[in-house]
Amino acid sequence: MAYLNPSISGRKLAAVSAIISLPFAYLTQALFMMASDGDVAMFHDGQQMLNLAQDKASMFYAAMWTDILGYYLIFLPVIIYAWKILREINESLTDISFFCGLIYCLLGSFGAVNMAGAFDGLYASYAASPISEQAQAIAAWEAIIGGNWRGYWLLEAVLAAIWLGGLGRLLIIAGLKGLGIGAISLAITWVAQFSLWQVGAVDASDAALALVVILSPLWAVWLGLTLLRLQPNTIITSPNQEKMA
């Protein structure tokens, strides 16, 4: 017999954090679109990026910070609270999935901070540099964004898939079937994004990424509202069900 105990401290903070992630997430996407005039592929072009107008450069820089709040660090209260109330259902699954969720939050944040700092420094010095140094700055930016895109942010797809897949399974066992299926669906999309990139289907991978960054904030709001309404719930599981969990 396992229990969901909403009286454990941290429920309201986790709920509010999940809900307010949505405006930050969508603000990030809006800033990206405005900074690039709708062509986010230009972010990989060092010459275009370092020659951005000041207002668009400021938008891109700001988007790196709202990205942290929309998709990463803001979920730490959610991870901590959900770990406390779901661990009674299945300790191993909870520990593994939520450890991956924690690394996902930190890794994504490190990547965004790295991008923000590198862009700010390179952009500030680019215009005043001689042509030879400008070429070096362009190459430096392309190396930095390439490393983040194919390093930090590609690995986070795997981490997010494990986190959301495990969370989804736990939520289903706890009787929150719709929310759990939503989490598993996001996990599958993350797996698709990673797998398609590995086989060279870049456009399809980008489409999967676009889908997950649009849908995950909506799921986060659903999760937050569910936490606010959460009532004590008793789950009775058979030994076989516990082994399957």
Side-chain angles (χ1 to χ4, degrees):
M1 183 176 293
Y3 300 90
L4 287 184
N5 182 8
S7 65
I8 293 176
S9 62
R11 178 170 63 94
K12 289 185 178 179
L13 176 60
V16 172
S17 297
I19 291 169
I20 65 174
S21 69
L22 183 143
F24 285 111
Y26 285 168
L27 175 59
T28 298
Q29 300 310 314
L31 288 170
F32 280 152
M33 296 301 288
M34 290 188 292
S36 65
D37 291 327
D39 180 18
V40 295
M42 70 167 285
F43 294 154
H44 296 268
D45 187 316
Q47 186 161 1
Q48 289 190 70
M49 286 299 293
L50 297 181
N51 282 286
L52 279 176
Q54 181 64 54
D55 60 335
K56 294 185 182 297
S58 297
M59 289 177 189
F60 178 81
Y61 179 79
M64 289 292 97
W65 293 99
T66 57
D67 187 43
I68 294 172
L69 294 175
Y71 294 99
Y72 301 117
L73 284 187
I74 205 165
F75 284 104
L76 290 180
V78 178
I79 290 174
I80 293 170
Y81 178 73
W83 177 81
K84 290 191 292 185
I85 67 170
L86 292 172
R87 201 163 185 264
E88 290 293 329
I89 295 176
N90 186 310
E91 289 187 9
S92 297
L93 181 60
T94 302
D95 290 347
I96 292 171
S97 60
F98 281 76
F99 182 68
C100 288
L102 176 61
I103 299 176
Y104 162 82
C105 290
L106 297 178
L107 201 64
S109 298
F110 292 156
V113 169
N114 184 34
M115 292 270 285
F119 178 73
D120 190 47
L122 290 170
Y123 183 83
S125 63
Y126 177 81
S129 301
I131 294 176
S132 61
E133 292 184 12
Q134 287 183 344
Q136 293 175 4
I138 289 170
W141 172 252
E142 292 178 354
I144 290 166
I145 190 171
N148 278 277
W149 210 272
R150 295 189 292 272
Y152 283 142
W153 290 338
L154 194 59
L155 175 58
E156 76 179 27
V158 178
L159 296 168
I162 297 173
W163 171 39
L164 291 168
L167 174 60
R169 175 62 174 153
L170 292 165
L171 290 172
I172 289 173
I173 296 172
L176 302 173
K177 185 175 180 179
L179 195 62
I181 291 173
I184 291 173
S185 298
L186 290 174
I188 292 171
T189 308
W190 276 117
V191 171
Q193 188 264 330
F194 178 84
S195 302
L196 290 167
W197 179 276
Q198 296 299 329
V199 299
V202 177
D203 290 341
S205 176
D206 288 346
L209 178 61
L211 184 63
V212 80
V213 298
I214 291 171
L215 295 180
S216 58
L218 297 174
W219 178 85
V221 171
W222 184 8
L223 174 63
L225 293 175
T226 300
L227 289 177
L228 287 177
R229 298 192 299 263
L230 190 62
Q231 298 296 323
N233 188 23
T234 302
I235 316 300
I236 301 177
T237 58
S238 68
N240 289 334
Q241 287 176 315
E242 289 180 347
K243 290 178 183 179
M244 294 172 58

